Amino acid sequence: MAWSLISCGSTSKKIEEKGEKRPNIIYVLADDLGYGDIAIYNPDGKIKTPNLDAIAKQGMRFTDAHTSSAVCTPTRYGIITGRYNWRSPLKSSVLTGNSKALIPNNRTTVASLLQKEGYETAFIGKWHLGWDWALKDPKVESGDGWNPNDFENIDFSKAVKNSPKDLGFTYSYGHSGSLDMAPYVYVENGMPTMVPDTVTESKDKYGWWRKGPTARDFDFEDVTPNFFRRSIDYVKQKSTSENPFFLYLALPSPHTPILPTEEWAGKSNLNPYGDFMMLIDSYMGQLADAIKESGIENNTIVIFTSDNGCSPAADINEMLAKGHSPNGIYRGHKADIFEGGHRVPFMVKWPSKIKAGSVSDKTICTTDLLATCADIVGVDLKDNEGEDSFSILPLLNDANSEVYTREATVHHSINGSFAIRKENWKMIFSPDSGGWSDPKPNSENIGELPKFQLYDLANDPRESTNLYGQFQEVEKELTQLMIAYIKNGRSTPGKNQENDPEGYGSKNWKQLEVFGEEM
């Protein structure tokens, strides 16, 4: 089925057009890349990113895009499922390389939806959503994955279960956790590519990784280039297919270990993080060239974004001293409930549909991918699919479209703290950052601060003046909306759904205690 967009009242509709194919979709997710790390987002920045800038110049740049969480695993869950991460059993923090699968096989994902619609689907990169390793002795309880001994019971000679291929990805290749989390083993289509025969560890300031089993074909410095090479090969191969394709390229960079190759070492005149950013930009240029040379550029959607803000591991203070602010003007960083934790670059290029140089100031969320893909292929989501996903397709046609129906956006920090954003108002349901910046949760004198925070982002984007207590009607409205979103199991229209119970060792969803008896 081929189609195009027309606006009709308040509804975005598709009509068939002869000779027009459904678009290929490439979703590139960087890891710990901040709002200010791409030059077009930060004119005062010190990192040159001409190839990433080109995506925005040739397509659309969103200025108010947010991840569903300020850390890795939860955001990735939201991207794949269209559901807020805190509805899953994981109410805070992240998984490890040893964690069991977080997404059940019966939940609709972006990949499974598109696969049913005839798309060829591929995942390449950092998974970080858990899968079930084969065990030498199933009766032995393995550790959480933070200790090098936690991997001794894994049988790397056997296939893993509940992997990306069980969630709609026809092809999958990647590693289980972050690049600093053992085990350091590639898994292709559910099967480890090599049994690890050594244990490695790095304590380098930038290039550190935790101690754990490592396979011979796992070269840390080459992981990001390897994923790009494979993605470029995939694009070239699938460009000749009659079927459209969906490629989810989940980079492990510029997250730690920060490992720019020799070619890029020192090129940013900033620090290794800046060099690593330039490496990513260069490979994005190579990917763009492959798309163009394959003759599919005009009808290929390329989305580039990040899973949360820049991390302190990049030595933010060092970069600030040299005039580069990786999170732009925004307060906080990775892990925080503040804007620096979850406001990210988000760019979309689609030459046949998007006007070059478009800019949208609409508030969007990374959970919106599922509904957008459903809209593209003309599928209506069921009540238990994409409970927090709104199609941004109308915005790609008109940057200021009123058809985009997201009412409000929920933010989430590493410790499970909540915030809700509606229009210019943002209410944080904690007195602190919810993460790693000051004021830290449970820090000294935290009880002297107001219990909640309210910011007018239109006039105070830096979140410098807490207005809590001064706009009680706004606070009441936002609190009731937040509670409704939690209780209803969704933020989209539809039949109420159940949130998953707390998992991973805790029985109580303690983060709800701030809402008192109303919960």
Side-chain angles (χ1 to χ4, degrees), residues 310-371:
C310 180
S311 170
D315 201 334
I316 293 174
N317 288 333
E318 178 184 29
M319 288 190 282
L320 288 172
K322 295 182 179 181
H324 179 75
S325 178
N327 293 309
I329 66 169
Y330 298 105
R331 181 180 181 181
H333 46 62
K334 174 183 178 178
D336 295 343
I337 202 68
F338 299 129
E339 292 291 287
H342 50 78
R343 187 183 289 237
V344 292
F346 193 100
M347 303 175 292
V348 186
K349 177 185 173 183
W350 188 5
S352 69
K353 298 295 178 184
I354 299 176
K355 181 182 178 181
S358 300
V359 178
S360 179
D361 298 325
K362 293 284 188 178
T363 307
I364 67 170
C365 183
T366 46
T367 57
D368 291 339
L369 180 63
L370 181 61

Short mmCIF file of all heavy atoms in Angstrom, two decimals, residues 310-371:
data_model
loop_
_atom_site.label_atom_id
_atom_site.label_comp_id
_atom_site.label_asym_id
_atom_site.label_seq_id
_atom_site.Cartn_x
_atom_site.Cartn_y
_atom_site.Cartn_z
N CYS A 310 23.94 14.14 28.48
CA CYS A 310 25.36 13.81 28.65
C CYS A 310 25.64 13.42 30.09
O CYS A 310 25.06 13.96 31.04
CB CYS A 310 26.23 15.00 28.25
SG CYS A 310 28.01 14.71 28.41
N SER A 311 26.57 12.48 30.27
CA SER A 311 26.91 11.95 31.58
C SER A 311 28.12 12.66 32.19
O SER A 311 29.03 13.08 31.46
CB SER A 311 27.22 10.47 31.46
OG SER A 311 27.77 9.96 32.66
N PRO A 312 28.18 12.75 33.52
CA PRO A 312 29.37 13.29 34.18
C PRO A 312 30.64 12.52 33.84
O PRO A 312 31.75 13.04 33.97
CB PRO A 312 29.03 13.17 35.67
CG PRO A 312 27.55 13.14 35.73
CD PRO A 312 27.11 12.43 34.47
N ALA A 313 30.48 11.27 33.40
CA ALA A 313 31.65 10.45 33.03
C ALA A 313 32.43 11.07 31.88
O ALA A 313 33.61 10.76 31.68
CB ALA A 313 31.21 9.04 32.66
N ALA A 314 31.79 11.97 31.13
CA ALA A 314 32.47 12.65 30.03
C ALA A 314 33.32 13.82 30.52
O ALA A 314 33.98 14.48 29.73
CB ALA A 314 31.44 13.16 29.02
N ASP A 315 33.31 14.05 31.83
CA ASP A 315 33.97 15.19 32.47
C ASP A 315 33.38 16.51 31.94
O ASP A 315 34.03 17.27 31.22
CB ASP A 315 35.48 15.18 32.26
CG ASP A 315 36.21 16.03 33.33
OD1 ASP A 315 35.57 16.97 33.86
OD2 ASP A 315 37.38 15.77 33.62
N ILE A 316 32.13 16.72 32.33
CA ILE A 316 31.40 17.91 31.90
C ILE A 316 32.11 19.19 32.33
O ILE A 316 32.19 20.15 31.55
CB ILE A 316 29.96 17.87 32.46
CG1 ILE A 316 29.18 16.72 31.80
CG2 ILE A 316 29.25 19.20 32.23
CD1 ILE A 316 27.79 16.50 32.37
N ASN A 317 32.64 19.20 33.53
CA ASN A 317 33.31 20.41 34.02
C ASN A 317 34.53 20.76 33.18
O ASN A 317 34.81 21.94 32.93
CB ASN A 317 33.72 20.24 35.48
CG ASN A 317 32.52 20.27 36.42
OD1 ASN A 317 31.51 20.88 36.11
ND2 ASN A 317 32.64 19.62 37.56
N GLU A 318 35.27 19.75 32.74
CA GLU A 318 36.42 19.99 31.87
C GLU A 318 35.98 20.64 30.57
O GLU A 318 36.61 21.59 30.08
CB GLU A 318 37.15 18.68 31.58
CG GLU A 318 38.35 18.83 30.65
CD GLU A 318 39.01 17.50 30.30
OE1 GLU A 318 38.30 16.47 30.29
OE2 GLU A 318 40.21 17.51 30.03
N MET A 319 34.87 20.15 30.01
CA MET A 319 34.38 20.72 28.76
C MET A 319 33.83 22.13 28.96
O MET A 319 34.04 23.01 28.12
CB MET A 319 33.33 19.79 28.15
CG MET A 319 33.94 18.51 27.59
SD MET A 319 32.77 17.52 26.62
CE MET A 319 31.83 16.75 27.93
N LEU A 320 33.15 22.34 30.08
CA LEU A 320 32.63 23.68 30.38
C LEU A 320 33.77 24.69 30.49
O LEU A 320 33.65 25.83 30.01
CB LEU A 320 31.82 23.67 31.68
CG LEU A 320 30.45 22.98 31.63
CD1 LEU A 320 29.87 22.87 33.04
CD2 LEU A 320 29.50 23.76 30.74
N ALA A 321 34.87 24.26 31.08
CA ALA A 321 36.02 25.14 31.23
C ALA A 321 36.62 25.52 29.87
O ALA A 321 37.26 26.58 29.74
CB ALA A 321 37.09 24.47 32.09
N LYS A 322 36.37 24.69 28.87
CA LYS A 322 36.88 24.97 27.52
C LYS A 322 35.81 25.58 26.62
O LYS A 322 36.01 25.69 25.41
CB LYS A 322 37.44 23.69 26.90
CG LYS A 322 38.67 23.15 27.64
CD LYS A 322 39.21 21.90 26.96
CE LYS A 322 40.45 21.39 27.67
NZ LYS A 322 41.02 20.18 27.02
N GLY A 323 34.67 25.93 27.23
CA GLY A 323 33.64 26.64 26.47
C GLY A 323 32.58 25.78 25.82
O GLY A 323 31.79 26.29 25.01
N HIS A 324 32.55 24.48 26.16
CA HIS A 324 31.53 23.61 25.57
C HIS A 324 30.57 23.10 26.64
O HIS A 324 31.00 22.51 27.64
CB HIS A 324 32.18 22.40 24.88
CG HIS A 324 31.16 21.47 24.28
ND1 HIS A 324 30.49 21.76 23.11
CD2 HIS A 324 30.69 20.26 24.69
CE1 HIS A 324 29.66 20.78 22.83
NE2 HIS A 324 29.76 19.85 23.77
N SER A 325 29.28 23.34 26.45
CA SER A 325 28.26 22.87 27.38
C SER A 325 27.50 21.71 26.74
O SER A 325 26.64 21.92 25.88
CB SER A 325 27.28 24.00 27.72
OG SER A 325 26.27 23.54 28.59
N PRO A 326 27.80 20.47 27.13
CA PRO A 326 27.22 19.31 26.45
C PRO A 326 25.70 19.20 26.59
O PRO A 326 25.06 18.56 25.75
CB PRO A 326 27.93 18.12 27.10
CG PRO A 326 28.43 18.63 28.40
CD PRO A 326 28.75 20.07 28.18
N ASN A 327 25.13 19.79 27.62
CA ASN A 327 23.69 19.77 27.77
C ASN A 327 23.06 21.13 27.48
O ASN A 327 21.94 21.42 27.91
CB ASN A 327 23.30 19.28 29.17
CG ASN A 327 23.68 17.82 29.38
OD1 ASN A 327 23.33 16.97 28.56
ND2 ASN A 327 24.42 17.53 30.43
N GLY A 328 23.78 21.94 26.72
CA GLY A 328 23.26 23.24 26.32
C GLY A 328 23.03 24.15 27.51
O GLY A 328 23.82 24.17 28.46
N ILE A 329 21.93 24.87 27.48
CA ILE A 329 21.63 25.81 28.57
C ILE A 329 20.93 25.11 29.73
O ILE A 329 20.65 25.74 30.76
CB ILE A 329 20.73 26.97 28.08
CG1 ILE A 329 19.35 26.42 27.68
CG2 ILE A 329 21.39 27.72 26.94
CD1 ILE A 329 18.31 27.52 27.42
N TYR A 330 20.68 23.81 29.61
CA TYR A 330 19.77 23.15 30.54
C TYR A 330 20.45 22.63 31.79
O TYR A 330 21.60 22.22 31.78
CB TYR A 330 19.02 22.04 29.81
CG TYR A 330 18.19 22.61 28.69
CD1 TYR A 330 18.59 22.47 27.36
CD2 TYR A 330 17.06 23.37 28.96
CE1 TYR A 330 17.85 23.04 26.33
CE2 TYR A 330 16.32 23.94 27.94
CZ TYR A 330 16.72 23.78 26.63
OH TYR A 330 16.00 24.36 25.61
N ARG A 331 19.69 22.67 32.88
CA ARG A 331 20.16 22.27 34.19
C ARG A 331 20.28 20.75 34.28
O ARG A 331 19.46 20.01 33.76
CB ARG A 331 19.19 22.76 35.26
CG ARG A 331 19.59 22.43 36.69
CD ARG A 331 18.55 22.97 37.66
NE ARG A 331 18.91 22.70 39.04
CZ ARG A 331 18.17 23.04 40.09
NH1 ARG A 331 17.01 23.67 39.92
NH2 ARG A 331 18.57 22.76 41.32
N GLY A 332 21.32 20.29 34.97
CA GLY A 332 21.47 18.87 35.22
C GLY A 332 22.08 18.10 34.06
O GLY A 332 22.56 18.67 33.08
N HIS A 333 22.06 16.78 34.19
CA HIS A 333 22.67 15.89 33.21
C HIS A 333 22.04 14.52 33.32
O HIS A 333 21.02 14.35 34.00
CB HIS A 333 24.18 15.82 33.43
CG HIS A 333 24.59 15.63 34.87
ND1 HIS A 333 24.23 14.52 35.60
CD2 HIS A 333 25.31 16.42 35.73
CE1 HIS A 333 24.72 14.62 36.83
NE2 HIS A 333 25.37 15.76 36.94
N LYS A 334 22.62 13.55 32.66
CA LYS A 334 22.13 12.18 32.72
C LYS A 334 21.73 11.80 34.15
O LYS A 334 22.41 12.17 35.11
CB LYS A 334 23.21 11.22 32.23
CG LYS A 334 22.86 9.75 32.37
CD LYS A 334 24.00 8.84 31.94
CE LYS A 334 23.62 7.37 32.14
NZ LYS A 334 24.68 6.45 31.68
N ALA A 335 20.64 11.07 34.27
CA ALA A 335 20.10 10.55 35.54
C ALA A 335 19.14 11.52 36.23
O ALA A 335 18.34 11.11 37.05
CB ALA A 335 21.20 10.14 36.52
N ASP A 336 19.19 12.81 35.88
CA ASP A 336 18.42 13.84 36.59
C ASP A 336 17.02 14.03 36.02
O ASP A 336 16.77 13.84 34.83
CB ASP A 336 19.13 15.18 36.53
CG ASP A 336 20.46 15.19 37.26
OD1 ASP A 336 20.69 14.27 38.08
OD2 ASP A 336 21.27 16.11 37.01
N ILE A 337 16.13 14.52 36.88
CA ILE A 337 14.78 14.89 36.46
C ILE A 337 14.78 16.27 35.79
O ILE A 337 13.83 16.65 35.11
CB ILE A 337 13.80 14.88 37.67
CG1 ILE A 337 12.35 14.74 37.21
CG2 ILE A 337 14.00 16.11 38.55
CD1 ILE A 337 12.01 13.40 36.60
N PHE A 338 15.86 17.02 35.98
CA PHE A 338 15.98 18.33 35.33
C PHE A 338 16.15 18.15 33.81
O PHE A 338 16.47 17.07 33.33
CB PHE A 338 17.16 19.11 35.90
CG PHE A 338 17.04 19.40 37.37
CD1 PHE A 338 18.08 19.11 38.25
CD2 PHE A 338 15.89 19.97 37.90
CE1 PHE A 338 17.98 19.36 39.61
CE2 PHE A 338 15.77 20.23 39.27
CZ PHE A 338 16.83 19.92 40.12
N GLU A 339 15.95 19.24 33.06
CA GLU A 339 15.92 19.17 31.60
C GLU A 339 17.18 18.56 31.00
O GLU A 339 17.13 17.86 29.99
CB GLU A 339 15.70 20.57 31.01
CG GLU A 339 14.33 21.16 31.29
CD GLU A 339 13.23 20.44 30.54
OE1 GLU A 339 13.12 20.59 29.31
OE2 GLU A 339 12.45 19.72 31.22
N GLY A 340 18.33 18.82 31.61
CA GLY A 340 19.58 18.27 31.09
C GLY A 340 19.63 16.76 31.12
O GLY A 340 20.45 16.15 30.43
N GLY A 341 18.73 16.15 31.89
CA GLY A 341 18.71 14.69 31.98
C GLY A 341 17.95 14.03 30.86
O GLY A 341 18.26 12.88 30.49
N HIS A 342 16.96 14.74 30.28
CA HIS A 342 16.08 14.07 29.32
C HIS A 342 15.71 14.89 28.10
O HIS A 342 15.05 14.38 27.19
CB HIS A 342 14.79 13.63 30.02
CG HIS A 342 14.13 14.72 30.82
ND1 HIS A 342 13.37 15.71 30.24
CD2 HIS A 342 14.14 14.97 32.16
CE1 HIS A 342 12.93 16.52 31.20
NE2 HIS A 342 13.38 16.10 32.36
N ARG A 343 16.11 16.16 28.02
CA ARG A 343 15.88 16.91 26.77
C ARG A 343 17.04 16.60 25.83
O ARG A 343 18.21 16.77 26.19
CB ARG A 343 15.79 18.41 27.01
CG ARG A 343 15.38 19.18 25.76
CD ARG A 343 15.37 20.69 25.97
NE ARG A 343 14.29 21.14 26.81
CZ ARG A 343 13.38 22.04 26.47
NH1 ARG A 343 13.41 22.56 25.25
NH2 ARG A 343 12.46 22.42 27.32
N VAL A 344 16.73 16.14 24.64
CA VAL A 344 17.76 15.62 23.74
C VAL A 344 17.57 16.16 22.32
O VAL A 344 16.48 16.61 21.95
CB VAL A 344 17.72 14.07 23.69
CG1 VAL A 344 18.16 13.47 25.01
CG2 VAL A 344 16.33 13.57 23.29
N PRO A 345 18.63 16.10 21.52
CA PRO A 345 18.47 16.41 20.09
C PRO A 345 17.56 15.37 19.46
O PRO A 345 17.58 14.19 19.85
CB PRO A 345 19.89 16.30 19.53
CG PRO A 345 20.79 16.28 20.72
CD PRO A 345 20.01 15.71 21.85
N PHE A 346 16.77 15.77 18.50
CA PHE A 346 15.89 14.84 17.79
C PHE A 346 15.70 15.40 16.39
O PHE A 346 15.10 16.45 16.20
CB PHE A 346 14.54 14.70 18.49
CG PHE A 346 13.71 13.53 18.02
CD1 PHE A 346 13.66 12.36 18.74
CD2 PHE A 346 12.97 13.61 16.85
CE1 PHE A 346 12.89 11.27 18.33
CE2 PHE A 346 12.20 12.54 16.41
CZ PHE A 346 12.16 11.37 17.16
N MET A 347 16.24 14.69 15.40
CA MET A 347 16.22 15.17 14.02
C MET A 347 15.66 14.09 13.11
O MET A 347 15.93 12.90 13.30
CB MET A 347 17.63 15.55 13.57
CG MET A 347 18.30 16.59 14.46
SD MET A 347 20.01 16.90 14.00
CE MET A 347 20.79 15.35 14.45
N VAL A 348 14.88 14.51 12.13
CA VAL A 348 14.27 13.57 11.20
C VAL A 348 14.47 14.06 9.77
O VAL A 348 14.13 15.20 9.45
CB VAL A 348 12.75 13.41 11.45
CG1 VAL A 348 12.19 12.31 10.56
CG2 VAL A 348 12.46 13.12 12.91
N LYS A 349 15.01 13.20 8.94
CA LYS A 349 15.19 13.51 7.52
C LYS A 349 14.34 12.55 6.69
O LYS A 349 14.40 11.34 6.87
CB LYS A 349 16.67 13.36 7.15
CG LYS A 349 16.97 13.59 5.66
CD LYS A 349 18.43 13.31 5.36
CE LYS A 349 18.71 13.35 3.87
NZ LYS A 349 20.12 13.01 3.56
N TRP A 350 13.54 13.11 5.78
CA TRP A 350 12.68 12.32 4.90
C TRP A 350 12.42 13.20 3.67
O TRP A 350 11.42 13.90 3.59
CB TRP A 350 11.39 11.97 5.62
CG TRP A 350 10.48 11.01 4.91
CD1 TRP A 350 10.72 10.34 3.75
CD2 TRP A 350 9.16 10.64 5.34
NE1 TRP A 350 9.65 9.56 3.44
CE2 TRP A 350 8.67 9.72 4.40
CE3 TRP A 350 8.37 10.98 6.43
CZ2 TRP A 350 7.40 9.16 4.51
CZ3 TRP A 350 7.12 10.42 6.54
CH2 TRP A 350 6.64 9.51 5.59
N PRO A 351 13.35 13.18 2.73
CA PRO A 351 13.32 14.15 1.62
C PRO A 351 12.00 14.25 0.87
O PRO A 351 11.61 15.34 0.45
CB PRO A 351 14.45 13.65 0.71
CG PRO A 351 15.40 12.99 1.64
CD PRO A 351 14.53 12.30 2.66
N SER A 352 11.30 13.13 0.70
CA SER A 352 10.07 13.18 -0.09
C SER A 352 8.90 13.80 0.67
O SER A 352 7.88 14.15 0.07
CB SER A 352 9.68 11.77 -0.55
OG SER A 352 9.27 10.97 0.55
N LYS A 353 9.05 13.98 2.00
CA LYS A 353 7.92 14.49 2.79
C LYS A 353 8.23 15.72 3.62
O LYS A 353 7.39 16.59 3.82
CB LYS A 353 7.43 13.38 3.75
CG LYS A 353 6.91 12.13 3.05
CD LYS A 353 5.65 12.41 2.23
CE LYS A 353 5.18 11.16 1.52
NZ LYS A 353 4.03 11.41 0.64
N ILE A 354 9.45 15.79 4.15
CA ILE A 354 9.78 16.87 5.09
C ILE A 354 10.49 18.02 4.39
O ILE A 354 11.48 17.81 3.68
CB ILE A 354 10.66 16.36 6.25
CG1 ILE A 354 9.93 15.27 7.04
CG2 ILE A 354 11.06 17.50 7.18
CD1 ILE A 354 10.78 14.64 8.12
N LYS A 355 10.01 19.21 4.60
CA LYS A 355 10.63 20.40 4.04
C LYS A 355 12.00 20.62 4.69
O LYS A 355 12.13 20.63 5.90
CB LYS A 355 9.74 21.62 4.26
CG LYS A 355 10.29 22.91 3.68
CD LYS A 355 9.36 24.08 3.98
CE LYS A 355 9.95 25.38 3.44
NZ LYS A 355 9.06 26.54 3.74
N ALA A 356 13.00 20.80 3.88
CA ALA A 356 14.36 21.00 4.40
C ALA A 356 14.43 22.22 5.30
O ALA A 356 13.82 23.25 5.03
CB ALA A 356 15.34 21.15 3.24
N GLY A 357 15.17 22.08 6.39
CA GLY A 357 15.37 23.18 7.32
C GLY A 357 14.21 23.45 8.25
O GLY A 357 14.17 24.48 8.92
N SER A 358 13.26 22.51 8.34
CA SER A 358 12.10 22.70 9.21
C SER A 358 12.52 22.61 10.68
O SER A 358 13.43 21.86 11.04
CB SER A 358 11.04 21.65 8.93
OG SER A 358 10.59 21.71 7.60
N VAL A 359 11.83 23.37 11.51
CA VAL A 359 12.06 23.34 12.96
C VAL A 359 10.71 23.25 13.66
O VAL A 359 9.80 24.02 13.35
CB VAL A 359 12.81 24.59 13.45
CG1 VAL A 359 12.99 24.54 14.97
CG2 VAL A 359 14.16 24.73 12.76
N SER A 360 10.59 22.30 14.57
CA SER A 360 9.36 22.16 15.36
C SER A 360 9.66 22.39 16.83
O SER A 360 10.59 21.79 17.38
CB SER A 360 8.73 20.78 15.16
OG SER A 360 7.56 20.66 15.95
N ASP A 361 8.86 23.23 17.45
CA ASP A 361 9.00 23.50 18.88
C ASP A 361 8.00 22.71 19.71
O ASP A 361 7.87 22.94 20.92
CB ASP A 361 8.83 25.00 19.15
CG ASP A 361 9.89 25.84 18.46
OD1 ASP A 361 11.03 25.37 18.37
OD2 ASP A 361 9.58 26.95 18.01
N LYS A 362 7.28 21.78 19.07
CA LYS A 362 6.31 20.97 19.79
C LYS A 362 7.03 20.03 20.76
O LYS A 362 8.12 19.52 20.47
CB LYS A 362 5.48 20.15 18.81
CG LYS A 362 4.56 20.97 17.92
CD LYS A 362 3.34 21.47 18.69
CE LYS A 362 2.34 22.13 17.75
NZ LYS A 362 1.11 22.57 18.44
N THR A 363 6.42 19.76 21.89
CA THR A 363 6.98 18.83 22.86
C THR A 363 6.67 17.40 22.43
O THR A 363 5.51 17.02 22.32
CB THR A 363 6.39 19.06 24.27
OG1 THR A 363 6.54 20.44 24.62
CG2 THR A 363 7.10 18.19 25.29
N ILE A 364 7.71 16.63 22.15
CA ILE A 364 7.53 15.23 21.77
C ILE A 364 8.34 14.34 22.71
O ILE A 364 9.17 14.81 23.48
CB ILE A 364 7.95 14.97 20.31
CG1 ILE A 364 9.47 15.16 20.14
CG2 ILE A 364 7.19 15.87 19.35
CD1 ILE A 364 10.01 14.68 18.80
N CYS A 365 8.08 13.04 22.63
CA CYS A 365 8.76 12.07 23.50
C CYS A 365 9.22 10.88 22.68
O CYS A 365 8.60 10.55 21.66
CB CYS A 365 7.80 11.63 24.61
SG CYS A 365 8.53 10.48 25.82
N THR A 366 10.28 10.24 23.11
CA THR A 366 10.79 9.08 22.37
C THR A 366 9.83 7.90 22.39
O THR A 366 10.00 6.96 21.61
CB THR A 366 12.16 8.65 22.91
OG1 THR A 366 12.12 8.61 24.36
CG2 THR A 366 13.25 9.62 22.49
N THR A 367 8.82 7.92 23.26
CA THR A 367 7.80 6.87 23.22
C THR A 367 6.92 7.00 21.98
O THR A 367 6.12 6.09 21.68
CB THR A 367 6.89 6.92 24.46
OG1 THR A 367 6.30 8.22 24.55
CG2 THR A 367 7.66 6.61 25.72
N ASP A 368 7.05 8.08 21.24
CA ASP A 368 6.14 8.35 20.12
C ASP A 368 6.45 7.54 18.85
O ASP A 368 5.69 7.61 17.88
CB ASP A 368 6.16 9.84 19.77
CG ASP A 368 5.51 10.69 20.85
OD1 ASP A 368 4.72 10.15 21.64
OD2 ASP A 368 5.79 11.91 20.91
N LEU A 369 7.53 6.78 18.84
CA LEU A 369 7.92 6.06 17.63
C LEU A 369 6.87 5.03 17.20
O LEU A 369 6.56 4.91 16.02
CB LEU A 369 9.27 5.39 17.81
CG LEU A 369 9.79 4.59 16.60
CD1 LEU A 369 10.01 5.50 15.40
CD2 LEU A 369 11.07 3.84 16.95
N LEU A 370 6.34 4.27 18.15
CA LEU A 370 5.41 3.20 17.79
C LEU A 370 4.17 3.74 17.10
O LEU A 370 3.76 3.26 16.04
CB LEU A 370 5.02 2.39 19.04
CG LEU A 370 4.05 1.23 18.78
CD1 LEU A 370 4.64 0.20 17.84
CD2 LEU A 370 3.65 0.56 20.10
N ALA A 371 3.55 4.77 17.68
CA ALA A 371 2.35 5.33 17.07
C ALA A 371 2.65 5.98 15.73
O ALA A 371 1.83 5.93 14.81
CB ALA A 371 1.72 6.36 18.01
#
